[in-house]
Amino acid sequence: MTIPLRLPPAEMRRLGHRAADLVVEHLSTQRTQPVGGPPDPELLAGLFDSRLPDAPTDPVDVLEEVVRDVLATIVRTDHPRFLAYVPGPSNYVGAVADFVAAGLNVFAGQGLVAPGPAVMERITVDWLRQLCGLPDGAGGLFVSGGTMATLIAVHAARVHHGAGAVYVSAHTHRSIRRGLGFLGIDDARVRVVPLDHRYRMEVHELRTMLATDRRAGVPPLCVVATAGTTGTGAVDPLDELAEVCAENGAWLHVDGAYGAAAVLSEQHRHLLAGLGRADSVALDPHKWWFQPYEAGCVLVRDVSLLEAAFAMEAEYLRETRADDVPLNFYDLGPQLTRSFRALKMWMSMRTFGLDAFRRAVDHGIGLVEHAEQMLRTSPGWEIVTPAQLAVLTFRPARSGLPPDAVDGLTRRIAAATLRDGRVLVTTTELDGRPVLRLCATHPETSRADIEQAIDVLDELAAANASDSPEAATR
Ligand SMILES: Cc1ncc(COP(=O)(O)O)c(C=O)c1O
């Protein structure tokens, strides 16, 4: 007799083995594959044509269809030559952990229902706390990503302090600006602190803005600093900001979604000095700590403030409040039902050991420093901001061209990398002008990949020198 929605064991294994083969193949042949390309409109049109599937289909056939029609369209953000955004180099152990957590459908909201996972999440969060230099008594939880981590922290700050103004910089991640609106903090309560010449929050300006607000009767709620901006990799002056926040009774939140991962680096940790003084920190293990997506983490200096903001009583949850259970994570964040995200971080840290993570982070920084050296010695390029926490910005050097022509070329080069597929580099804007931005965090990216990337950029710069449509074939 067939059981509804259950495959026989042999079929489960057949499907599971095919899925494992698919991932192993993806990871071991990546280098020979293109990074990605523009979407194929015909393929997508075919996908839109799907009908509601009333009848069953062989599961391996379904998976093959997904591989052929769906996964073939993706830009590989985990490719060693994906040098755009913040890359997503994942790891196989983390992916298996996600599979296991989903396969057993671990409900990681309640200590009584999943005590072992609750202890493990607590331990893993504590490892991250120690790495960030936060004191005992700090704690937090795994969440979907960096944005959510920051919004949870800002909400905890608001419950603790009451309403007030939030201070960000022009280089605070846009998802946070958007998220403040989602928390009901409208633009009238958000102050954008100017940047210094290194694109860091200008401390003096912050002091002035805090004083002006105070005179107007607006108390501070929170300062959102960034440890590793997405645009340039700059780290706001955390130590000085901690002083200013202490003097003004403001909560200091540090968005370390991308850059705080560098606490692992003996050599570069000093760049994050002051991180341990924050009231809260957002981390994003799905960026530079090599986890599959949906692994963010929020740490709060006094974890009881998370509980004050999120603890939930409900008559149908009463039995889970037994005294001897480790922790109800639903009391620390907005999710009741939540998956066992800590498992991927825990399993991969245990499997590879922290030293492997340390070397991988240092490797990324070294790659971008190498790119900077190469571009500095090449007459075709101009460095705009130097290598900082694995981010570098630059543009084509064309002394004979007016700035808007250089800007047009900059954008054409980035667009051409997507069509080309050998490497992916995108742009950001600094002082109103586009710049090429390279971010290298993949442990398998080699110096030769970086050299190839620069050769490709040289080639695409030459092919796209003119803005005529015929030039843009590559
Ligand atoms: C500095 C910084 N903060 C926040 C985010 C948003 O993180 P997530 O996309 O995980 O929500 C990013 C993403 O790139 C980031 O670089």
Side-chain angles (χ1 to χ4, degrees):
M1 197 189 72
T2 56
I3 308 171
L5 300 178
R6 167 73 57 88
L7 297 173
E11 283 294 277
M12 285 196 255
R13 291 204 170 85
R14 189 169 70 97
L15 179 61
H17 289 156
R18 178 64 192 104
D21 283 346
L22 164 72
V23 177
V24 172
E25 204 175 296
H26 166 84
L27 292 174
S28 46
T29 63
Q30 214 162 20
R31 228 166 226 302
T32 62
Q33 309 287 338
V35 180
D40 173 348
E42 253 177 57
L43 195 59
L44 291 184
L47 276 180
F48 275 121
D49 214 17
S50 294
R51 304 259 180 276
L52 266 171
D54 284 323
T57 310
D58 180 281
V60 172
D61 288 350
V62 173
L63 181 58
E64 298 303 349
E65 188 182 318
V66 169
V67 172
R68 192 186 59 235
D69 298 344
V70 182
L71 299 179
T73 67
I74 64 173
V75 171
R76 295 161 177 250
T77 60
D78 60 349
H79 191 292
R81 287 188 304 280
F82 180 91
L83 303 173
Y85 307 156
V86 177
S90 174
N91 80 87
Y92 183 76
V93 174
V96 169
D98 264 355
F99 172 73
V100 171
L104 274 69
N105 212 16
V106 178
F107 179 76
Q110 289 174 323
L112 194 73
V113 174
V119 171
M120 188 183 281
E121 178 155 357
R122 201 167 176 162
I123 287 174
T124 313
V125 166
D126 200 61
W127 288 347
L128 303 190
R129 171 194 75 75
Q130 292 172 41
L131 288 169
C132 290
L134 286 162
D136 278 344
L141 74 166
F142 277 85
V143 296
S144 56
T147 309
M148 191 52 79
T150 289
L151 298 187
I152 289 171
V154 173
H155 178 61
R158 179 172 54 182
V159 170
H160 182 57
H161 275 300
V166 176
Y167 300 80
V168 299
S169 87
H171 279 194
T172 299
H173 198 270
R174 285 299 164 89
S175 68
I176 293 170
R177 297 285 300 278
R178 178 183 60 178
L180 291 175
F182 179 65
L183 288 183
I185 301 173
D186 61 28
D187 284 351
R189 289 276 159 160
V190 179
R191 311 282 179 263
V192 182
V193 183
L195 300 167
D196 67 13
H197 67 287
R198 289 166 59 193
Y199 302 100
R200 305 176 314 164
M201 187 182 277
E202 170 60 79
V203 181
H204 178 70
E205 296 279 356
L206 171 65
R207 273 187 204 283
T208 310
M209 291 168 107
L210 282 160
T212 308
D213 274 335
R214 199 167 285 288
R215 279 196 299 276
V218 181
L221 163 53
C222 148
V223 173
V224 178
T226 308
T229 60
T230 317
T232 69
V235 180
D236 287 334
L238 304 180
D239 255 329
E240 289 173 74
L241 292 173
E243 291 300 327
V244 176
C245 286
E247 286 161 20
N248 286 274
W251 176 293
L252 175 62
H253 173 73
V254 178
D255 173 15
Y258 142 64
V263 288
L264 282 180
S265 162
E266 297 286 332
Q267 222 185 324
H268 297 93
R269 185 181 306 141
H270 68 275
L271 297 173
L272 300 161
L275 182 66
R277 297 175 69 184
D279 292 295
S280 54
V281 178
L283 302 168
D284 229 354
H286 67 204
K287 292 192 166 66
W288 209 0
W289 277 343
F290 317 107
Q291 299 307 312
Y293 289 135
E294 305 263 335
C297 181
V298 55
L299 298 173
V300 173
R301 184 173 207 82
D302 175 356
V303 71
S304 73
L305 299 183
L306 272 183
E307 214 160 338
F310 290 101
M312 183 171 72
E313 291 293 345
E315 53 286 8
Y316 37 80
L317 297 172
R318 197 153 295 143
E319 287 69 32
T320 62
R321 292 232 166 260
D323 288 341
D324 55 351
V325 296
L327 203 55
N328 283 335
F329 277 95
Y330 71 65
D331 281 331
L332 301 186
Q335 271 184 289
L336 170 57
T337 303
R338 55 197 292 280
S339 67
F340 186 17
R341 295 189 180 99
L343 185 63
K344 46 190 159 187
M345 188 84 222
W346 189 86
M347 275 184 67
S348 42
M349 280 170 111
R350 287 271 287 132
T351 303
F352 298 112
L354 207 51
D355 274 347
F357 282 80
R358 290 196 173 99
R359 283 194 300 276
V361 168
D362 274 330
H363 178 72
I365 295 174
L367 288 173
V368 178
E369 288 172 349
H370 181 57
E372 179 184 345
Q373 276 164 16
M374 288 200 56
L375 290 166
R376 279 197 191 280
T377 54
S378 159
W381 302 101
E382 173 195 332
I383 299 294
V384 181
T385 57
Q388 292 183 94
L389 294 180
V391 176
L392 170 68
T393 67
F394 56 104
R395 63 164 60 94
R398 298 289 185 276
S399 51
L401 287 184
D404 58 341
V406 175
D407 293 351
L409 175 59
T410 301
R411 290 208 187 280
R412 289 197 297 282
I413 294 169
T417 65
L418 183 61
R419 291 193 298 273
D420 179 273
R422 285 174 289 175
V423 56
L424 191 72
V425 173
T426 45
T427 61
T428 186
E429 270 185 34
L430 294 175
D431 303 320
R433 295 188 60 194
V435 290
L436 289 161
R437 175 184 168 284
L438 188 149
C439 181
T441 56
H442 199 305
E444 288 168 44
T445 306
S446 63
R447 286 184 165 223
D449 286 319
I450 294 291
E451 287 153 22
Q452 183 190 352
I454 293 174
D455 285 347
V456 170
L457 292 175
D458 274 325
E459 197 185 299
L460 296 178
N464 290 274
S466 140
D467 62 1
S468 67
E470 309 84 72
T473 48
R474 262 226 108 131

